[in-house]
mmCIF file of all heavy atoms in Angstrom:
data_model
loop_
_atom_site.group_PDB
_atom_site.id
_atom_site.type_symbol
_atom_site.label_atom_id
_atom_site.label_comp_id
_atom_site.label_asym_id
_atom_site.label_seq_id
_atom_site.Cartn_x
_atom_site.Cartn_y
_atom_site.Cartn_z
ATOM 1 N N SER A 203 107.155 98.440 100.852
ATOM 2 C CA SER A 203 106.965 97.366 99.880
ATOM 3 C C SER A 203 108.360 97.171 99.115
ATOM 4 O O SER A 203 108.624 97.981 98.204
ATOM 5 C CB SER A 203 105.874 97.759 98.897
ATOM 6 O OG SER A 203 105.863 96.816 97.781
ATOM 7 N N TRP A 204 109.162 96.200 99.541
ATOM 8 C CA TRP A 204 110.490 96.160 99.073
ATOM 9 C C TRP A 204 110.651 95.197 97.947
ATOM 10 O O TRP A 204 111.669 95.322 97.198
ATOM 11 C CB TRP A 204 111.525 95.815 100.201
ATOM 12 C CG TRP A 204 111.533 94.298 100.547
ATOM 13 C CD1 TRP A 204 110.673 93.681 101.348
ATOM 14 C CD2 TRP A 204 112.508 93.423 100.111
ATOM 15 N NE1 TRP A 204 111.032 92.328 101.487
ATOM 16 C CE2 TRP A 204 112.220 92.174 100.641
ATOM 17 C CE3 TRP A 204 113.666 93.521 99.297
ATOM 18 C CZ2 TRP A 204 112.955 91.076 100.503
ATOM 19 C CZ3 TRP A 204 114.410 92.378 99.094
ATOM 20 C CH2 TRP A 204 114.083 91.039 99.695
ATOM 21 N N GLN A 205 109.726 94.244 97.729
ATOM 22 C CA GLN A 205 109.910 93.294 96.681
ATOM 23 C C GLN A 205 108.515 93.088 96.006
ATOM 24 O O GLN A 205 107.422 92.910 96.638
ATOM 25 C CB GLN A 205 110.368 91.911 97.242
ATOM 26 C CG GLN A 205 110.888 91.021 96.130
ATOM 27 C CD GLN A 205 109.795 90.046 95.608
ATOM 28 O OE1 GLN A 205 108.676 90.044 96.119
ATOM 29 N NE2 GLN A 205 110.016 89.429 94.541
ATOM 30 N N LEU A 206 108.549 93.141 94.631
ATOM 31 C CA LEU A 206 107.290 92.972 93.884
ATOM 32 C C LEU A 206 107.630 92.073 92.631
ATOM 33 O O LEU A 206 108.590 92.353 91.908
ATOM 34 C CB LEU A 206 106.754 94.294 93.392
ATOM 35 C CG LEU A 206 105.436 94.322 92.640
ATOM 36 C CD1 LEU A 206 104.346 93.829 93.634
ATOM 37 C CD2 LEU A 206 105.137 95.670 92.152
ATOM 38 N N SER A 207 106.916 90.975 92.508
ATOM 39 C CA SER A 207 107.042 90.123 91.344
ATOM 40 C C SER A 207 105.715 89.827 90.664
ATOM 41 O O SER A 207 104.711 89.589 91.324
ATOM 42 C CB SER A 207 107.695 88.824 91.741
ATOM 43 O OG SER A 207 108.994 89.000 92.238
ATOM 44 N N PHE A 208 105.736 89.807 89.266
ATOM 45 C CA PHE A 208 104.512 89.514 88.542
ATOM 46 C C PHE A 208 104.911 89.234 87.094
ATOM 47 O O PHE A 208 106.082 89.412 86.728
ATOM 48 C CB PHE A 208 103.492 90.729 88.601
ATOM 49 C CG PHE A 208 104.109 91.967 88.109
ATOM 50 C CD1 PHE A 208 103.809 92.392 86.793
ATOM 51 C CD2 PHE A 208 104.850 92.782 88.937
ATOM 52 C CE1 PHE A 208 104.384 93.631 86.300
ATOM 53 C CE2 PHE A 208 105.348 94.031 88.404
ATOM 54 C CZ PHE A 208 105.129 94.469 87.184
ATOM 55 N N HIS A 209 103.952 88.839 86.290
ATOM 56 C CA HIS A 209 104.162 88.490 84.875
ATOM 57 C C HIS A 209 103.808 89.842 84.113
ATOM 58 O O HIS A 209 102.709 90.446 84.407
ATOM 59 C CB HIS A 209 103.435 87.318 84.398
ATOM 60 C CG HIS A 209 104.043 86.047 84.895
ATOM 61 N ND1 HIS A 209 103.621 85.387 86.020
ATOM 62 C CD2 HIS A 209 105.011 85.267 84.352
ATOM 63 C CE1 HIS A 209 104.339 84.332 86.217
ATOM 64 N NE2 HIS A 209 105.159 84.208 85.278
ATOM 65 N N HIS A 210 104.577 90.152 83.084
ATOM 66 C CA HIS A 210 104.155 91.257 82.231
ATOM 67 C C HIS A 210 102.814 91.026 81.662
ATOM 68 O O HIS A 210 102.607 89.922 81.076
ATOM 69 C CB HIS A 210 105.258 91.516 81.139
ATOM 70 C CG HIS A 210 105.074 92.791 80.403
ATOM 71 N ND1 HIS A 210 104.092 93.061 79.477
ATOM 72 C CD2 HIS A 210 105.760 93.965 80.432
ATOM 73 C CE1 HIS A 210 104.167 94.237 79.034
ATOM 74 N NE2 HIS A 210 105.082 94.860 79.635
ATOM 75 N N PRO A 211 101.961 91.960 81.801
ATOM 76 C CA PRO A 211 100.516 91.641 81.350
ATOM 77 C C PRO A 211 100.326 91.408 79.820
ATOM 78 O O PRO A 211 99.293 90.924 79.461
ATOM 79 C CB PRO A 211 99.796 92.976 81.795
ATOM 80 C CG PRO A 211 100.817 93.993 81.809
ATOM 81 C CD PRO A 211 102.044 93.329 82.296
ATOM 82 N N ILE A 212 101.296 91.821 79.048
ATOM 83 C CA ILE A 212 101.244 91.696 77.612
ATOM 84 C C ILE A 212 102.198 90.558 77.165
ATOM 85 O O ILE A 212 101.719 89.603 76.350
ATOM 86 C CB ILE A 212 101.559 92.945 76.861
ATOM 87 C CG1 ILE A 212 100.613 94.105 77.338
ATOM 88 C CG2 ILE A 212 101.277 92.775 75.343
ATOM 89 C CD1 ILE A 212 99.174 93.800 77.314
ATOM 90 N N THR A 213 103.426 90.620 77.581
ATOM 91 C CA THR A 213 104.468 89.592 77.057
ATOM 92 C C THR A 213 104.442 88.313 77.877
ATOM 93 O O THR A 213 104.877 87.336 77.360
ATOM 94 C CB THR A 213 105.857 90.246 77.034
ATOM 95 O OG1 THR A 213 106.304 90.462 78.398
ATOM 96 C CG2 THR A 213 105.820 91.582 76.281
ATOM 97 N N GLY A 214 103.979 88.385 79.048
ATOM 98 C CA GLY A 214 104.032 87.206 79.961
ATOM 99 C C GLY A 214 105.390 86.963 80.618
ATOM 100 O O GLY A 214 105.541 86.046 81.384
ATOM 101 N N LYS A 215 106.352 87.841 80.317
ATOM 102 C CA LYS A 215 107.660 87.747 80.946
ATOM 103 C C LYS A 215 107.606 87.993 82.436
ATOM 104 O O LYS A 215 106.862 88.813 82.949
ATOM 105 C CB LYS A 215 108.603 88.676 80.333
ATOM 106 C CG LYS A 215 110.074 88.703 80.913
ATOM 107 C CD LYS A 215 110.942 89.713 80.270
ATOM 108 C CE LYS A 215 112.346 89.664 80.810
ATOM 109 N NZ LYS A 215 113.285 90.771 80.183
ATOM 110 N N GLN A 216 108.334 87.141 83.230
ATOM 111 C CA GLN A 216 108.426 87.334 84.660
ATOM 112 C C GLN A 216 109.244 88.457 85.029
ATOM 113 O O GLN A 216 110.376 88.655 84.534
ATOM 114 C CB GLN A 216 109.019 86.072 85.388
ATOM 115 C CG GLN A 216 109.182 86.151 86.733
ATOM 116 C CD GLN A 216 107.913 86.016 87.609
ATOM 117 O OE1 GLN A 216 106.977 85.370 87.182
ATOM 118 N NE2 GLN A 216 107.875 86.795 88.790
ATOM 119 N N LEU A 217 108.608 89.432 85.847
ATOM 120 C CA LEU A 217 109.300 90.593 86.206
ATOM 121 C C LEU A 217 109.479 90.641 87.736
ATOM 122 O O LEU A 217 108.498 90.222 88.460
ATOM 123 C CB LEU A 217 108.587 91.870 85.825
ATOM 124 C CG LEU A 217 108.427 91.955 84.299
ATOM 125 C CD1 LEU A 217 107.488 93.207 83.993
ATOM 126 C CD2 LEU A 217 109.761 92.154 83.539
ATOM 127 N N SER A 218 110.624 91.001 88.263
ATOM 128 C CA SER A 218 110.830 91.079 89.764
ATOM 129 C C SER A 218 111.618 92.347 90.134
ATOM 130 O O SER A 218 112.637 92.621 89.404
ATOM 131 C CB SER A 218 111.518 89.831 90.222
ATOM 132 O OG SER A 218 111.697 89.908 91.556
ATOM 133 N N PHE A 219 111.251 93.113 91.110
ATOM 134 C CA PHE A 219 111.874 94.353 91.466
ATOM 135 C C PHE A 219 112.126 94.313 92.958
ATOM 136 O O PHE A 219 111.302 93.841 93.823
ATOM 137 C CB PHE A 219 111.038 95.495 91.061
ATOM 138 C CG PHE A 219 110.655 95.580 89.642
ATOM 139 C CD1 PHE A 219 109.506 94.987 89.175
ATOM 140 C CD2 PHE A 219 111.542 96.091 88.673
ATOM 141 C CE1 PHE A 219 109.172 94.954 87.813
ATOM 142 C CE2 PHE A 219 111.220 96.024 87.350
ATOM 143 C CZ PHE A 219 109.989 95.520 86.869
ATOM 144 N N GLU A 220 113.201 94.944 93.408
ATOM 145 C CA GLU A 220 113.614 95.050 94.732
ATOM 146 C C GLU A 220 114.112 96.479 95.105
ATOM 147 O O GLU A 220 114.766 96.989 94.287
ATOM 148 C CB GLU A 220 114.682 93.973 95.148
ATOM 149 C CG GLU A 220 114.207 92.528 95.078
ATOM 150 C CD GLU A 220 115.279 91.548 95.406
ATOM 151 O OE1 GLU A 220 116.426 92.058 95.769
ATOM 152 O OE2 GLU A 220 115.083 90.330 95.334
ATOM 153 N N SER A 221 113.789 96.939 96.298
ATOM 154 C CA SER A 221 114.321 98.205 96.665
ATOM 155 C C SER A 221 114.390 98.222 98.206
ATOM 156 O O SER A 221 113.515 97.823 98.884
ATOM 157 C CB SER A 221 113.407 99.359 96.142
ATOM 158 O OG SER A 221 113.853 100.577 96.723
ATOM 159 N N ILE A 222 115.590 98.671 98.776
ATOM 160 C CA ILE A 222 115.702 98.615 100.238
ATOM 161 C C ILE A 222 115.495 100.095 100.712
ATOM 162 O O ILE A 222 116.215 101.010 100.252
ATOM 163 C CB ILE A 222 117.099 98.155 100.617
ATOM 164 C CG1 ILE A 222 117.235 96.664 100.152
ATOM 165 C CG2 ILE A 222 117.345 98.240 102.117
ATOM 166 C CD1 ILE A 222 116.357 95.689 100.717
ATOM 167 N N PRO A 223 114.659 100.312 101.801
ATOM 168 C CA PRO A 223 114.495 101.565 102.292
ATOM 169 C C PRO A 223 115.682 102.093 103.235
ATOM 170 O O PRO A 223 116.310 101.247 103.816
ATOM 171 C CB PRO A 223 113.222 101.467 103.191
ATOM 172 C CG PRO A 223 113.209 99.954 103.537
ATOM 173 C CD PRO A 223 113.820 99.299 102.403
ATOM 174 N N LYS A 224 116.012 103.308 103.144
ATOM 175 C CA LYS A 224 117.161 103.813 103.869
ATOM 176 C C LYS A 224 116.915 104.756 104.935
ATOM 177 O O LYS A 224 117.726 105.191 105.733
ATOM 178 C CB LYS A 224 118.104 104.501 102.875
ATOM 179 C CG LYS A 224 118.630 103.570 101.744
ATOM 180 C CD LYS A 224 119.411 104.266 100.723
ATOM 181 C CE LYS A 224 119.944 103.351 99.652
ATOM 182 N NZ LYS A 224 118.844 102.736 98.899
ATOM 183 N N LYS A 225 115.668 105.137 105.143
ATOM 184 C CA LYS A 225 115.221 106.111 106.231
ATOM 185 C C LYS A 225 115.237 105.444 107.570
ATOM 186 O O LYS A 225 115.095 104.260 107.678
ATOM 187 C CB LYS A 225 113.846 106.708 105.967
ATOM 188 C CG LYS A 225 113.811 107.725 104.801
ATOM 189 C CD LYS A 225 112.474 108.456 104.747
ATOM 190 C CE LYS A 225 112.441 109.548 103.662
ATOM 191 N NZ LYS A 225 111.099 110.148 103.660
ATOM 192 N N TYR A 226 115.257 106.235 108.561
ATOM 193 C CA TYR A 226 115.157 105.774 110.008
ATOM 194 C C TYR A 226 113.658 105.334 110.093
ATOM 195 O O TYR A 226 112.791 105.930 109.611
ATOM 196 C CB TYR A 226 115.418 106.804 110.940
ATOM 197 C CG TYR A 226 115.237 106.396 112.396
ATOM 198 C CD1 TYR A 226 116.319 105.871 113.169
ATOM 199 C CD2 TYR A 226 114.019 106.620 113.101
ATOM 200 C CE1 TYR A 226 116.190 105.435 114.402
ATOM 201 C CE2 TYR A 226 113.955 106.158 114.400
ATOM 202 C CZ TYR A 226 114.916 105.642 115.056
ATOM 203 O OH TYR A 226 114.808 105.170 116.357
ATOM 204 N N PRO A 227 113.272 104.165 110.820
ATOM 205 C CA PRO A 227 114.165 103.331 111.607
ATOM 206 C C PRO A 227 114.827 102.203 110.794
ATOM 207 O O PRO A 227 115.601 101.404 111.332
ATOM 208 C CB PRO A 227 113.332 102.792 112.614
ATOM 209 C CG PRO A 227 111.954 102.648 111.948
ATOM 210 C CD PRO A 227 111.917 103.851 111.072
ATOM 211 N N PHE A 228 114.471 102.093 109.499
ATOM 212 C CA PHE A 228 115.147 101.083 108.674
ATOM 213 C C PHE A 228 116.575 101.115 108.632
ATOM 214 O O PHE A 228 117.272 100.057 108.643
ATOM 215 C CB PHE A 228 114.609 101.129 107.233
ATOM 216 C CG PHE A 228 113.097 100.807 107.103
ATOM 217 C CD1 PHE A 228 112.223 101.722 106.827
ATOM 218 C CD2 PHE A 228 112.637 99.460 107.254
ATOM 219 C CE1 PHE A 228 110.851 101.495 106.571
ATOM 220 C CE2 PHE A 228 111.276 99.176 107.113
ATOM 221 C CZ PHE A 228 110.380 100.202 106.798
ATOM 222 N N SER A 229 117.098 102.371 108.689
ATOM 223 C CA SER A 229 118.569 102.545 108.597
ATOM 224 C C SER A 229 119.366 101.945 109.809
ATOM 225 O O SER A 229 120.547 101.772 109.712
ATOM 226 C CB SER A 229 118.838 104.036 108.507
ATOM 227 O OG SER A 229 118.326 104.698 109.636
#
Side-chain angles (χ1 to χ4, degrees):
S203 171
W204 80 278
Q205 194 274 347
L206 185 67
S207 296
F208 58 96
H209 289 92
H210 192 284
I212 306 302
T213 68
K215 181 181 178 181
Q216 177 72 31
L217 300 175
S218 184
F219 305 93
E220 297 179 359
S221 176
I222 299 299
K224 299 176 177 64
K225 285 187 176 182
Y226 181 87
F228 293 109
S229 57

